Amino acid sequence: MFKQFLSKLPRKSSKSADSRDNGGSSNPYANASINLRSGELGSAKSGSLNPVSSSTPNHASDKGSNHGTKTSRNSNVQLNGYPVYSAYEALPGFKDVPSSEKQHLFIRKLNLSCVIFDFTDPTKNLREKEIKRQTLLELVDYVTAVNGKFTETVMQEATKMVSVNLFRALTPQPHENKAIEAFDLEEEEPLMDHAWPHLQLVYEFFFRFVASSETDAKLAKRYIDHSFILKLLDLFDSEDPREREYLKTILHRIYGKFMVHRPFIRKVINNIFYRFIFETEKHNGIAELLEILGSIVNGFALPLKEEHKLFLVRALIPLHKPKCLAMYHQQLSYCITQFVEKDSKLADNIIRGLLKYWPVTNSSKEVMFLSELEEVLEATQPPEFQRCMVPLFRQIARCLSSSHFQKEECCLMLLGLWSLVGILSLVAERALFFWNNDHIENLIKQNRSVILPIIFPALEKNARNHWNQAVHSLTLNVRKLFCDLDPELFKECLTKFQEDEAKEDDVKARRETTWKRLEEAAAKKASSNEAVLVLAKTLSRMTSG
């Protein structure tokens, strides 16, 4: 009875017995690290072949989600619960088969390349990894030299192979110090993908496949669809800069070739920016996406669509908000400048947007804002300049002013932080460079009656006692320029500045007198421990002072 019960139990394959039969030596293929991924674009055509032995029933062929299978000789691999016996062997080269068989061989090689290997252990599956690398090289050469349009089956298999290899979960680099991460992220070493020897060839294949004149966009758009593009854009968050560079080039090609996908690509990039600005402030591919957008904006037809103007106001300008602006500011500044050159009427909105996100305590970020502002002003016309010049030069006056920075500079000098002192003075120096730009200088001269009264106090204080020699010299040059240009206006501003200074001295003297009376009254009452009564009139004087 007991034996009958045991006989009904399913038997497991005895690997230990096989090992004993082989004298205790392990099979070099038995420990192959295999990663079976589901295809992203549907099942293969009936004519496609998988790298599975034809003598074994391929149960995965009925499952549209399983495309790549890596098995080893004399080993047992589970695929959807069924054992598959096969060998991962190299296929013949394209030169070794007649022309009529090359396309069939191309599809077989695409299927062979759907196998994913584990690169975390460099000692595993060296032979199989080299076979796949050589196969990918052959695929790249074939796509480059092929004559004749790709069939729909080839397109399906090609996009399937790309999907299986590229679309994966990205592993973010662990950051130990979260407080410093936002400021020093650009200084950290990027995380290089261990599987890059294969990934690079897959990217190269896909780039040449998209760029090839033999790829018909009308057929290919069925497989390079919205789902495919969405997953491709998700890969821009990769920490490997080599991967992001390939993605940037490929996405630009897709945008140029597949016109039907252009609105969708812009929409997805929009959403990536929104999430980065308002939620995470963490994304590795913002610079690359902006670089693509720079060329896209450059190709916008005139007059600009309302959609593009909204993109500028809602996405590009708010990108100045995150702390890690330095990582992508160059590309962002280029996009902003392209909009102004396309439509100079947008200059007012852009300048006011920059003023809205102007940094308060980050001096190095402030220098970046001033550099971008100069580029925008260089493309700004007088009517737009006049609309925003008052708030603009109030901010420039704050940049020029040394009264705000002198206290910070003294504290930093005492602490020995000379590099930060240099950054603070660099803000004023960078703002004074505006007068070295002929176009901006002409705009200022034309509107000097409004601008000079705003910035004169800052200029006068810098000319008197700014410690930095470069700032002091540039201030004297700007001051002399206004004096020679309009002596009467200059004299009026100087007179008003002196009057305001005298009023400030008077207020300061009255404040000191009030405090002195309070101290004397407190000293008289100190011996008797009586409270000092402060009249409301005295408090009002102190407040007004």
Side-chain angles (χ1 to χ4, degrees):
M1 183 71 179
F2 185 72
K3 290 182 179 180
Q4 291 178 356
F5 175 77
L6 290 177
S7 62
K8 294 181 179 180
L9 292 177
R11 293 186 179 181
K12 296 182 180 179
S13 58
S14 178
K15 294 184 179 179
S16 59
D18 294 340
S19 178
R20 284 193 300 269
D21 293 340
N22 293 329
S25 61
S26 61
N27 192 325
Y29 306 102
N31 295 324
S33 176
I34 302 160
N35 185 356
L36 300 176
R37 295 191 181 184
S38 60
E40 308 294 339
L41 302 171
S43 60
K45 292 285 183 179
S46 59
S48 63
L49 298 176
N50 286 327
V52 179
S53 176
S54 59
S55 61
T56 305
N58 187 0
H59 299 281
S61 62
D62 298 330
K63 309 285 186 180
S65 60
N66 292 286
H67 301 300
T69 307
K70 190 248 176 237
T71 54
S72 60
R73 290 173 294 187
N74 302 324
S75 63
N76 189 350
V77 179
Q78 295 293 323
L79 178 61
N80 290 338
Y82 298 99
V84 178
Y85 301 91
S86 177
Y88 192 86
E89 299 289 349
L91 294 172
F94 288 104
K95 296 179 180 180
D96 301 330
V97 297
S99 300
S100 58
E101 295 292 328
K102 284 186 178 181
Q103 189 176 110
H104 182 67
L105 179 61
F106 179 63
I107 294 174
R108 292 180 62 197
K109 286 181 180 288
L110 286 172
N111 280 282
L112 191 69
S113 301
C114 288
V115 181
I116 309 301
F117 295 98
D118 182 11
F119 277 84
T120 55
D121 187 351
T123 62
K124 280 186 177 181
N125 314 118
L126 296 179
R127 172 183 168 278
E128 289 84 352
K129 289 176 183 177
E130 180 59 23
I131 290 174
K132 180 176 178 179
R133 193 184 72 83
Q134 291 296 334
T135 302
L136 288 169
L137 283 172
E138 293 175 10
L139 290 173
V140 171
D141 293 338
Y142 180 83
V143 170
T144 306
V146 68
N147 290 321
K149 295 291 184 181
F150 292 119
T151 64
E152 186 173 354
T153 304
V154 169
M155 291 181 184
Q156 184 178 17
E157 294 300 323
T159 49
K160 180 193 72 176
M161 187 274 287
V162 171
S163 301
V164 169
N165 280 275
L166 298 186
F167 299 157
R168 65 205 188 278
L170 299 174
T171 54
Q173 185 176 0
H175 300 288
E176 297 179 359
N177 194 338
K178 297 294 181 183
I180 303 177
E181 178 184 349
F183 298 95
D184 299 332
L185 192 61
E186 65 271 15
E187 298 179 5
E188 293 185 2
E189 288 294 328
L191 182 66
M192 300 299 184
D193 199 310
H194 298 293
W196 185 247
H198 286 180
L199 288 175
Q200 181 183 14
L201 294 174
V202 175
Y203 274 116
E204 186 66 28
F205 167 83
F206 188 49
F207 166 70
R208 299 196 186 193
F209 176 77
V210 172
S212 175
S213 59
E214 308 301 338
T215 302
D216 187 356
K218 292 182 180 179
L219 284 177
K221 72 180 181 181
R222 301 177 187 176
Y223 306 101
I224 303 177
D225 56 4
H226 286 183
S227 175
F228 185 95
I229 291 171
L230 188 62
K231 292 171 183 176
L232 196 71
L233 280 162
D234 286 341
L235 293 175
F236 272 87
D237 201 18
S238 169
E239 295 198 22
D240 195 327
R242 303 168 299 182
E243 182 168 16
R244 298 199 303 269
E245 190 66 24
Y246 262 109
L247 286 165
K248 178 187 71 177
T249 307
I250 291 170
L251 185 64
H252 193 272
R253 288 281 186 172
I254 291 175
Y255 189 89
K257 192 160 190 169
F258 299 87
M259 295 184 65
V260 67
H261 292 329
R262 290 182 180 182
F264 179 77
I265 292 173
R266 293 197 300 267
K267 181 181 178 181
V268 175
I269 293 176
N270 246 350
N271 293 336
I272 291 173
F273 287 164
Y274 290 154
R275 189 180 179 200
F276 170 71
I277 296 166
F278 302 110
E279 294 181 19
T280 63
E281 287 198 9
K282 294 178 183 177
H283 196 284
N284 297 303
I286 299 298
E288 286 79 10
L289 290 172
L290 285 170
E291 195 168 340
I292 296 170
L293 283 170
S295 60
I296 292 175
V297 173
N298 192 26
F300 281 163
L302 294 177
L304 290 175
K305 295 180 181 179
E306 192 64 26
E307 171 201 347
H308 303 328
K309 295 179 182 178
L310 288 174
F311 171 70
L312 168 68
V313 174
R314 294 179 179 177
L316 290 185
I317 292 177
L319 275 172
H320 293 84
K321 176 186 173 184
K323 297 175 183 178
C324 56
L325 173 66
M327 298 180 66
Y328 56 84
H329 180 257
Q330 182 180 355
Q331 293 84 356
L332 175 60
S333 180
Y334 178 77
C335 289
I336 295 288
T337 308
Q338 288 294 308
F339 269 100
V340 183
E341 292 177 355
K342 286 283 182 181
D343 187 355
S344 60
K345 294 180 181 179
L346 295 172
D348 179 37
N349 291 332
I350 290 172
I351 291 172
R352 291 181 184 275
L354 288 174
L355 295 176
K356 177 182 178 181
Y357 294 104
W358 200 276
V360 179
T361 59
N362 192 335
S363 299
S364 58
K365 191 174 178 181
E366 200 167 1
V367 172
M368 288 188 282
F369 270 61
L370 288 167
S371 300
E372 182 177 352
L373 187 59
E374 182 178 359
E375 294 181 6
V376 173
L377 286 172
E378 199 167 359
T380 303
Q381 299 304 313
E384 285 72 34
F385 179 79
Q386 291 171 0
R387 293 194 192 101
C388 61
M389 62 183 178
V390 173
L392 170 62
F393 277 88
R394 282 176 182 165
Q395 182 59 56
I396 291 177
R398 285 191 284 271
C399 295
L400 294 173
S401 178
S402 62
S403 60
H404 173 68
F405 293 135
Q406 278 179 341
K407 294 178 182 178
E408 292 184 8
E409 289 166 357
C410 291
C411 295
L412 292 170
M413 287 178 185
L414 291 173
L415 293 171
L417 301 177
W418 289 96
S419 60
L420 294 180
V421 174
I423 292 175
L424 291 174
S425 62
L426 189 60
V427 173
E429 185 177 350
R430 188 66 189 81
L432 287 165
F433 281 159
F434 280 15
W435 277 264
N436 292 340
N437 188 298
D438 293 338
H439 180 71
I440 298 175
E441 184 180 348
N442 289 332
L443 292 173
I444 294 172
K445 286 179 179 179
Q446 293 168 13
N447 301 277
R448 59 185 179 274
S449 59
V450 177
I451 294 172
L452 184 57
I454 297 174
I455 65 172
F456 189 86
L459 289 174
E460 193 65 20
K461 290 176 183 178
N462 280 1
R464 289 182 182 181
N465 55 14
H466 200 286
W467 65 272
N468 186 279
Q469 186 60 40
V471 174
H472 187 262
S473 301
L474 289 169
T475 301
L476 291 177
N477 292 338
V478 173
R479 191 175 181 274
K480 185 177 184 301
L481 184 148
F482 280 112
C483 184
D484 296 342
L485 181 65
D486 196 336
E488 292 183 4
L489 177 62
F490 186 87
K491 187 176 180 181
E492 290 177 9
C493 292
L494 181 60
T495 303
K496 186 177 185 305
F497 174 76
Q498 291 172 346
E499 291 174 356
D500 292 341
E501 201 173 33
K503 289 179 182 178
E504 287 180 7
D505 292 340
D506 183 55
V507 169
K508 184 179 179 181
R510 285 192 284 112
R511 187 185 296 117
E512 289 177 355
T513 303
T514 303
W515 278 111
K516 189 174 181 181
R517 287 203 305 268
L518 287 173
E519 289 173 359
E520 289 174 355
K524 290 179 182 178
K525 299 290 183 178
S527 58
S528 60
N529 293 327
E530 294 182 13
V532 180
L533 179 62
V534 181
L535 299 177
K537 187 176 181 181
T538 305
L539 286 174
S540 64
R541 286 178 181 174
M542 291 177 61
T543 306
S544 63

